[in-house]
Amino acid sequence: DVKVTQSSRYLVKRTGEKVFLECVQDMDHENMFWYRQDPGLGLRLIYFSYDVKMKEKGDIPEGYSVSREKKERFSLILESASTNQTSMYLCASSERLAGEREQFFGPGTRLTVL
Amino acid sequence: GNSVTQMEGPVTLSEEAFLTINCTYTATGYPSLFWYVQYPGEGLQLLLKATKADDKGSNKGFEATYRKETTSFHLEKGSVQVSDSAVYFCALRGTYKYIFGTGTRLKVLA
């Protein structure tokens, strides 16, 4: 069974803390994505990566950075967490080239910044 | 640019009622189209997909047809169950990125 796992289901952090969200996929996918999900706004793309050490900004990259040192792992970093980053964070992966292929999602991390 | 518009929810139905959730898209070319479902407390999972015009995707009693002429991909189910209560997302795939609608919450009452 294909799997995308995220390091935490729930996380509570304080304003100003550095936060790491980890995502691992076991499908040998080239593409990996980080989204945040907020009520009424749907899914918004933060960053994506199409290969190891490669990254592209999504629609809302401000306040975030990413790291992809290994193909199976994609990390989202909040350098200095703020309350407006309280959200559900979803990681996903997909094959690179086949246009009809879907994304596979992890279970999400609900982050609360106090 | 590419975009997806889906009907706002919430949609509340009685068990065994007919369901339609509207989805229209704007895109260059002919992207693949998807419906994802998110059950409470979980990530998104693929419900069905269609890769070219007039294709019909189907799964678990849900269906959607890729209509190029109306740029639509409406989700339908003939008889909903309480267990179908979830948030449904319409999406299309660009070159690398996927574009999602804002989601439609469905609540089915027994």
Side-chain angles (χ1 to χ4, degrees):
Chain A
D1 201 14
V2 296
K3 270 266 174 59
V4 179
T5 56
Q6 296 182 228
S7 50
S8 306
R9 292 299 300 271
Y10 300 93
L11 210 52
V12 179
K13 296 292 182 180
R14 298 239 175 243
T15 302
E17 280 192 80
K18 190 168 186 176
V19 181
F20 293 86
L21 303 182
E22 306 285 341
C23 175
V24 177
Q25 51 96 3
D26 66 0
M27 294 165 281
D28 202 36
H29 283 168
E30 292 85 3
N31 296 344
M32 295 188 75
F33 306 80
W34 275 107
Y35 296 90
R36 63 177 284 176
Q37 182 181 10
D38 300 288
L41 297 177
L43 272 69
R44 293 181 292 168
L45 181 64
I46 304 171
Y47 268 97
F48 69 100
S49 168
Y50 52 89
D51 205 346
V52 175
K53 298 192 186 294
M54 305 304 289
K55 61 185 179 184
E56 292 284 341
K57 292 180 180 179
D59 301 315
I60 53 163
E62 296 78 20
Y64 303 94
S65 62
V66 291
S67 172
R68 190 153 180 216
E69 297 297 318
K70 294 185 177 181
K71 189 176 186 180
E72 67 272 18
R73 188 179 297 269
F74 192 36
S75 303
L76 180 69
I77 304 154
L78 287 66
E79 294 289 342
S80 178
S82 63
T83 55
N84 63 12
Q85 293 178 308
T86 292
S87 187
M88 170 71 91
Y89 290 88
L90 294 170
C91 175
S93 71
S94 73
E95 294 179 39
R96 177 185 290 167
L97 293 177
E100 70 274 13
R101 297 286 190 245
E102 69 269 27
Q103 284 186 311
F104 293 85
F105 282 84
T109 296
R110 186 164 294 282
L111 173 66
T112 301
V113 182
L114 302 176
Chain B
N2 295 342
S3 67
V4 174
T5 303
Q6 62 181 103
M7 61 187 287
E8 288 192 26
V11 174
T12 303
L13 296 173
S14 298
E15 207 166 24
E16 298 183 3
F18 184 85
L19 169 71
T20 301
I21 300 177
N22 291 336
C23 171
T24 56
Y25 67 91
T26 302
T28 52
Y30 304 104
S32 295
L33 301 174
F34 307 87
W35 276 101
Y36 284 85
V37 59
Q38 184 180 34
Y39 298 105
E42 298 183 12
L44 278 68
Q45 56 185 272
L46 180 69
L47 181 60
L48 53 83
K49 66 181 181 184
T51 60
K52 60 184 186 296
D54 300 325
D55 262 5
K56 178 186 280 188
S58 61
N59 186 27
K60 299 181 182 179
F62 291 89
E63 292 182 341
T65 301
Y66 192 140
R67 302 281 188 204
K68 188 181 69 172
E69 62 278 9
T70 55
T71 61
S72 64
F73 192 53
H74 304 323
L75 182 68
E76 297 182 334
K77 187 175 186 183
S79 176
V80 293
Q81 306 300 312
V82 172
S83 57
D84 293 326
S85 297
V87 181
Y88 293 81
F89 292 90
C90 185
L92 66 82
R93 176 169 177 166
T95 306
Y96 287 113
K97 293 164 58 173
Y98 294 74
I99 309 298
F100 288 84
T102 53
T104 302
R105 182 175 298 278
L106 170 66
K107 186 172 182 180
V108 181
L109 304 176

